[in-house]
Each structure stands twice: as structure tokens, then as C-alpha cells.
Amino acid sequence: MTHSPRLHQGELYVLDSGRGYLCKVDRKSGEIEKIAFCSGFARGLYFHNNFAIVGVSLARDGAFTDLELQDELKQRDGEAWCAIQIIDLSSGDIVQWIRLTGFIKELFDVSAIEGAACPMAVGYQSAEIQSLITFDDFGDQPS
């Protein structure tokens, strides 16, 4: 169950979702190197410098019960998360994470807005979504 194949700095990376790993694939031999274990069903992969940003999800009700991911979690005495995990590619360490709880149970992809100065999330039923408009100072732009 591979997801999100991506090329980064000439290397091919994939998420081995059924086992819970971020992997690097040797493009000539096909050999797979496990980089890091992700604590959930991994989908969505983005790179920034030497870091991978990985989305992980909880299993759908009744789905994914026969995956090796469940065995990996059990062996680690862990539990599945819905989260965004940031992985240092040189060490395989998860250096930061954002755990999502509540209604959000699955992520399908991740990305980043490079150069964003003040990002925020606004709920689609919040009052702010009706009135929040921001303008950047673009200097002398023609009208």
C-alpha cells in the first residue's frame, strides 16, 4: 500500500502506508530503505530542505485491520494518530508533530505554503470566515 511517491533531491521516497514507514527507494536496484516509522496510516508527503512532512491517519472503522501497521503499533506499545509529522531525513527522527483530534480522523495529502508570514486555520462555520480578508502590501501595483 504505497502512497505519495515523490522525488526529492534526486531520491525517490514513498510512504509504505500498510506498514507505517517513510521509505527511500533505490531507483536502480529497487531496494527499499526504511527511514522512519509513522504512527498511523501514512498518506501525503512534502519536503522542505532536509525534512519530510508526512500526514498520518487513523484507520477507518473496520478497515485496515489486517495490515502490518497494526502489528508495528502493537510491538511499539503505541497507538495510531491522525497527525502531521516532520521527519529529519538524515536521522529518521520525528523532530516535530501536530496531532489532530476531534472530527479530523484522516489526512489525504499535505503541503506547505512557502513564505507564508502568518498562516492560520479558520473553521468553515466560524464567524471569522465570513469577514476575514487580508491584504499584502504589494507596493506600487497598477490599478
Side-chain angles (χ1 to χ4, degrees):
M1 294 188 123
T2 56
H3 274 277
S4 309
R6 302 281 192 272
L7 288 174
H8 176 64
Q9 297 177 347
E11 301 286 352
L12 175 61
Y13 292 88
V14 298
L15 298 174
D16 184 353
S17 304
R19 293 180 184 95
Y21 284 95
L22 165 64
C23 299
K24 183 165 58 171
V25 180
D26 184 296
R27 294 167 64 188
K28 291 182 181 171
S29 70
E31 288 187 40
I32 297 171
E33 174 189 352
K34 294 177 182 175
I35 303 295
F37 179 73
C38 303
S39 57
F41 191 82
R43 277 185 299 220
L45 177 60
Y46 183 85
F47 294 95
H48 179 75
N49 297 328
N50 199 44
F51 297 94
I53 302 169
V54 178
V56 293
S57 299
L58 298 173
R60 293 181 194 142
D61 293 332
F64 311 138
T65 55
D66 295 332
L67 298 179
E68 290 178 34
L69 170 61
Q70 303 297 10
D71 297 332
E72 285 282 348
L73 288 166
K74 190 181 237 182
Q75 287 175 6
R76 297 166 183 269
D77 197 25
E79 62 178 323
W81 287 14
C82 181
I84 298 168
Q85 297 180 330
I86 301 176
I87 300 167
D88 183 330
L89 293 173
S90 57
S91 66
D93 292 336
I94 296 172
V95 296
Q96 193 58 266
W97 49 267
I98 302 168
R99 189 170 185 175
L100 304 169
T101 61
F103 294 109
I104 300 172
K105 304 224 183 288
E106 291 186 76
L107 299 175
F108 295 93
D109 203 357
V110 294
S111 189
I113 303 170
E114 303 265 348
C118 188
M120 62 185 291
V122 178
Y124 70 94
Q125 292 182 340
S126 68
E128 292 88 359
I129 201 158
Q130 299 299 320
S131 61
L132 183 64
I133 300 175
T134 60
F135 296 94
D136 197 0
D137 180 12
F138 293 108
D140 295 329
Q141 295 289 321
S143 310

